[in-house]
Amino acid sequence: MQTFFKTPRCSAHTVRTVRTALLTASLLVPAAALARPMTAEDVAKLEAVGAVAVSPDGSRVAYTTASLPDVTAGEKDGTTTQELKMAFGPDNARSFLPDDISPSNVKFSPDGRMVSFVWAKDDEDRAVWGIPVDGGAQRKLAEVDGANVLSHEWSPDSGSIYMLAGAAEDEQREEEADAGFVSIVYEEESRFNRLFRASVGSDVDADPVRIDVPGYVSAVRIAPGGQTAVIDSAPTPLIDDSYTQKRSHVLDLATGTVRTTFETPGKLEDVEISPDGSQVSMIAGVDMNDPAATTLHLGSIADGSYRALNAGAAEAAVDAEWLADGRLAAIIHVGADAMLRIYNADGSVAETVDPGELILTGMARGGNRLMVWANSPSHPTELYEYANGTFTRWTNHNAWLSDIDMGTQRTVTYTATDGQQVEGILIEPVGGPARGGSPTIMMVHGGPEAHYSNGWLTAYSMPGQMAAGEGYAVFHPNYRGSTGYGVDYAKQHQGNYTDPEFRDIVDAKKHLVAEGITDPDRTGITGGSYGGYASAWGATHYSDEYAAAVMFVGISNQTSKFGTGDIPFEMYNVHSRAWPWDDWQKMLEVSPIYYTDRAKTPLLIMHGLEDTRVDPGQSYELYRFVKIRNPDTPLRMVLYPGEGHGNRKASSRYDYNKRMLRWFDTYLKTGDRDAEMPASRPVLNLGDEDEK
């Protein structure tokens, strides 16, 4: 048995409890009476802060607002677009590009004169564009002929741009394709990214210099001085290699040789270079079996040595940013909460700051200004400035949320069957739980190396406040295997698929029933990926516990998952800790298809047809097994052409949302497992046809 406890909010170093300041009246949430529940149509129009860059002198902040086309208002279907804005303070921002430009990889030039970004104009390849901060039209700064630019970095003198670009055109392959020969040789036709340096001038450099790089490079950071770069590289473009073999290297930009390699084991995420160029911060795994990169490290650029700063702590490092004075700011998630921790250059802790209800998720710095982006139980991601112990809100997207009647949201800690303490986040029904308990949805995160924070928890695949407005409670369990509670907690699920991890969810139900929140006969379950696996397990092995289930891109057969997915070594290293052939029966017994004789739970299965992470065959298998073994169980499978491991298009998200909510209304709210199946097509609000 393991018991976790949150890190105390006071210690030997300075701890400050801070307030979230809204310094302008226009950012304050109106005090008007809350009027109506949230709907799927509301979720379709949510906006949030995307990319953030701060000018070198800290005088201005470039950021993007991310949104999808509002198909409910008749807008043309599509994926997420970004609108670039320039902010100078709270509630002081303006659009900075024409609205038909959707930029990515936004940066300031080191001299502060230009905002640069990656964009594809019309049918051109993606290139680096820029717009002067003092006004003027955007223009192309650099490109790679015949390839898309993926990301870019400026040289310290603003005279050059380094571009990470896709592979060169394969003229022979294109000629074959034009003739109808389009066969694919699986895992044998790797296409490697390339690194180029282009001079920046009045004209686009027609002949950028290619720099040799090792393996498949996914990130480039130019060091102070401009002589070296820190790059992230894996042996091949295979996603499994990026999880298990990605490393950071110090690259000599003149020769293309690797000076130093940081031999971190396992997963690797955020890497940042210190202002003096002597160190890097790295968020990485502590060993090859660490489920996630959550431990903060400092590494020496001179010799590649590194050390962990928070090894063994019951927390997860999420992002890091070096400050102008050489200290390091880190966002740390402790269970369902967040904090900002400041480290001295030697790795000692200078102070820890409590942001109140804010869930910090990212940072950017320019000069002495530190910007963070954060969400809360009442709003999606917004932009804040951190200074002198205070977080000041700069943006206020989705002002209409003040009209939504939201359910109370809070963390809940309960004791699992074996004595383990488990935490989750509860959204109560608007107005509170009903007498005798309310219908309750268990919203299970994927991974399982992920965690829910006590912030914004409503999205197209997360019922959240939509369900609360319709009388449901929604519980988000951070079951064993989750991050945010330390590496040991995350490893508890290894070699133990389904138990204790999915038993933790049943134990959550029992706790909520005992507290009078949940109706035991009207409890449902949903989730995507590993959460889809939990949902499939709930609909089969634990069918008596759940009155309805919605499974999204989920796992049903752990043996075939090994053979059809793209992360077999990652699965072995951090999940199963065994191969299927080590014990065929054991792998079968942790597969939902094995228990389809028990499947009495009304089950809605949804999956993207182009999913390479969890093959759609996982959904086909479960659908066929349940349909034949339990023909009277309400069962439906919905497939999304063109979608992968999660829906990207606005139409697919809206359709998913409506189907999920309608399925729960039909079977969970009523508690009637024998109710007639809803129509195969939900009623969609598609706006004015004349506006399309």
Side-chain angles (χ1 to χ4, degrees):
M1 179 187 74
Q2 177 186 355
T3 302
F4 70 80
F5 298 94
K6 289 190 177 181
T7 303
R9 291 303 178 111
C10 57
S11 60
H13 54 269
T14 303
V15 179
R16 275 184 267 174
T17 299
V18 303
R19 56 187 175 85
T20 301
L22 304 182
L23 299 184
T24 57
S26 62
L27 292 184
L28 292 173
V29 177
L34 300 176
R36 63 178 179 84
M38 180 172 277
T39 67
E41 288 71 29
D42 292 324
V43 171
K45 64 180 181 181
L46 283 170
E47 297 180 336
V49 169
V52 179
V54 186
S55 64
D57 65 358
S59 64
R60 62 193 80 200
V61 177
Y63 70 93
T64 62
T65 297
S67 63
L68 280 90
D70 186 358
V71 293
T72 71
E75 294 181 6
K76 185 178 180 181
D77 189 26
T79 57
T80 299
T81 59
Q82 307 276 347
E83 179 187 1
L84 181 64
K85 295 184 178 181
M86 189 72 75
F88 302 90
D91 199 27
N92 182 12
R94 61 184 178 90
S95 296
F96 213 65
L97 286 172
D99 57 13
D100 62 344
I101 295 179
S102 179
S104 63
N105 197 227
V106 176
K107 300 180 183 298
F108 279 92
S109 59
D111 61 14
R113 299 170 60 186
M114 186 82 67
V115 175
S116 57
F117 55 93
V118 174
W119 175 57
K121 181 180 180 181
D122 300 326
D123 295 327
E124 298 178 6
D125 292 323
R126 285 162 52 90
V128 181
W129 292 69
I131 183 170
V133 297
D134 294 328
Q138 69 278 358
R139 66 181 180 91
K140 187 181 292 185
L141 300 178
E143 65 182 346
V144 176
D145 186 45
N148 282 310
V149 174
L150 307 174
S151 64
H152 75 292
E153 291 284 338
W154 287 87
S155 63
D157 63 2
S158 299
S160 300
I161 288 178
Y162 292 86
M163 295 174 286
L164 188 63
E169 293 179 327
D170 187 335
E171 295 181 0
Q172 179 181 346
R173 184 63 184 268
E174 291 180 4
E175 182 179 344
E176 292 172 352
D178 290 341
F181 295 90
V182 293
S183 58
I184 298 172
V185 183
Y186 186 57
E187 293 189 348
E188 288 188 33
E189 298 181 320
S190 296
R191 306 273 287 164
F192 286 79
N193 295 333
R194 299 169 295 161
L195 181 61
F196 292 87
R197 181 181 65 248
S199 297
V200 178
S202 56
D203 297 319
V204 175
D205 188 342
D207 191 22
V209 177
R210 182 174 177 181
I211 301 170
D212 290 334
V213 291
Y216 180 76
V217 175
S218 55
V220 177
R221 308 159 197 88
I222 307 301
Q227 303 303 307
T228 59
V230 177
I231 64 171
D232 295 347
S233 178
T236 77
L238 295 177
I239 188 68
D240 221 10
D241 278 354
S242 74
Y243 279 148
T244 62
Q245 300 188 60
K246 183 169 67 174
R247 304 290 181 266
S248 281
H249 311 270
V250 179
L251 184 76
D252 187 311
L253 290 170
T255 65
T257 58
V258 172
R259 293 186 180 181
T260 307
T261 297
F262 297 99
E263 297 287 358
T264 53
K267 296 182 178 180
L268 175 68
E269 294 295 338
D270 182 53
V271 179
E272 305 288 344
I273 306 174
S274 65
D276 65 4
S278 67
Q279 296 189 91
V280 294
S281 64
M282 301 179 291
I283 298 178
V286 297
D287 57 46
M288 182 60 77
N289 305 122
D290 191 342
T294 59
T295 299
L296 183 63
H297 297 74
L298 288 182
S300 168
I301 283 183
D303 60 15
S305 62
Y306 62 91
R307 60 191 175 92
L309 299 185
N310 63 333
E315 60 188 38
V318 173
D319 192 27
E321 187 76 19
W322 290 94
L323 304 179
D325 61 8
R327 295 185 301 165
L328 180 67
I331 293 174
I332 306 294
H333 284 191
V334 183
D337 298 323
M339 65 173 63
L340 180 65
R341 184 180 295 154
I342 309 296
Y343 290 89
N344 294 312
D346 63 2
S348 61
V349 175
E351 61 178 319
T352 298
V353 184
D354 182 346
E357 70 167 7
L358 292 180
I359 300 299
L360 313 178
T361 57
M363 295 180 289
R365 180 197 59 89
N368 291 316
R369 173 163 277 163
L370 180 65
M371 303 301 296
V372 301
W373 39 107
N375 62 82
S376 80
S378 60
H379 63 75
T381 303
E382 298 286 359
L383 185 63
Y384 293 79
E385 179 184 9
Y386 171 72
N388 301 318
T390 299
F391 292 87
T392 303
R393 184 169 171 176
W394 278 36
T395 61
N396 187 32
H397 301 89
N398 314 301
W400 52 268
L401 284 173
S402 62
D403 297 329
I404 301 298
D405 204 354
M406 295 192 185
T408 300
Q409 183 170 315
R410 57 187 172 90
T411 58
V412 171
T413 300
Y414 61 97
T415 303
T417 300
D418 60 0
Q420 171 70 53
Q421 295 290 291
V422 181
E423 186 179 53
I425 301 98
L426 173 68
I427 302 178
E428 295 184 358
V430 171
R435 184 182 299 273
S438 297
T440 300
I441 300 170
M442 296 292 177
M443 177 69 238
V444 187
H445 66 67
E449 63 275 23
H451 64 274
Y452 285 123
S453 295
N454 188 20
W456 184 253
L457 293 173
T458 304
Y460 82 94
S461 61
M462 299 176 63
Q465 293 293 349
M466 292 181 291
E470 296 298 328
Y472 295 91
V474 186
F475 189 68
H476 306 76
N478 282 333
Y479 55 96
R480 272 171 276 192
S482 300
T483 56
Y485 302 89
V487 174
D488 289 345
Y489 185 81
K491 284 185 174 181
Q492 279 199 52
H493 101 112
Q494 292 182 346
N496 297 300
Y497 279 140
T498 75
D499 191 352
E501 54 192 3
F502 299 159
R503 176 165 48 82
D504 285 347
I505 304 171
V506 173
D507 287 340
K509 172 191 170 180
K510 293 177 180 177
H511 175 81
L512 295 173
V513 169
E515 293 294 312
I517 294 164
T518 293
D519 181 340
D521 297 324
R522 293 189 296 162
T523 303
I525 187 169
T526 189
S529 192
Y530 210 88
Y533 177 29
S535 302
W537 192 255
T540 55
H541 183 275
Y542 281 132
S543 186
D544 288 345
E545 300 286 353
Y546 298 109
V550 177
M551 168 192 176
F552 187 34
V553 294
I555 302 163
S556 69
N557 183 340
Q558 285 289 4
T559 297
S560 59
K561 169 68 167 65
F562 259 106
T564 58
D566 58 3
I567 52 170
F569 284 96
E570 195 264 356
M571 288 175 62
Y572 173 85
N573 287 334
V574 306
H575 299 307
S576 64
R577 304 293 288 118
W579 300 107
W581 45 88
D582 292 336
D583 189 337
W584 294 107
Q585 185 62 28
K586 179 180 178 181
M587 202 65 77
L588 183 60
E589 289 178 2
V590 293
S591 300
I593 58 167
Y594 189 67
Y595 303 95
T596 47
D597 60 318
R598 307 181 187 180
K600 305 298 182 182
T601 300
L603 173 61
L604 174 61
I605 302 169
M606 294 189 274
H607 214 125
L609 275 176
E610 312 306 320
D611 190 352
T612 58
R613 181 61 38 78
V614 177
D615 188 84
Q618 295 293 305
S619 288
Y620 281 106
E621 287 188 50
L622 185 60
Y623 174 82
R624 189 62 65 200
F625 276 54
V626 173
K627 187 170 184 178
I628 291 176
R629 300 193 76 180
N630 280 289
D632 294 331
T633 296
L635 174 69
R636 173 168 291 154
M637 183 165 67
V638 179
L639 302 169
Y640 291 98
E643 299 289 7
H645 198 58
N647 291 350
R648 296 176 63 248
K649 295 179 182 177
S651 60
S652 299
R653 291 187 172 193
Y654 179 47
D655 181 88
Y656 180 99
N657 196 338
K658 296 287 281 190
R659 290 181 184 278
M660 171 185 65
L661 296 172
R662 188 180 58 164
W663 195 262
F664 284 135
D665 283 347
T666 301
Y667 298 106
L668 181 55
K669 182 178 284 188
T670 64
D672 183 2
R673 297 187 182 211
D674 298 320
E676 182 178 351
M677 283 228 293
S680 62
R681 297 288 176 185
V683 177
L684 303 173
N685 180 0
L686 300 181
D688 187 345
E689 292 288 338
D690 293 336
E691 296 179 4
K692 295 183 181 181

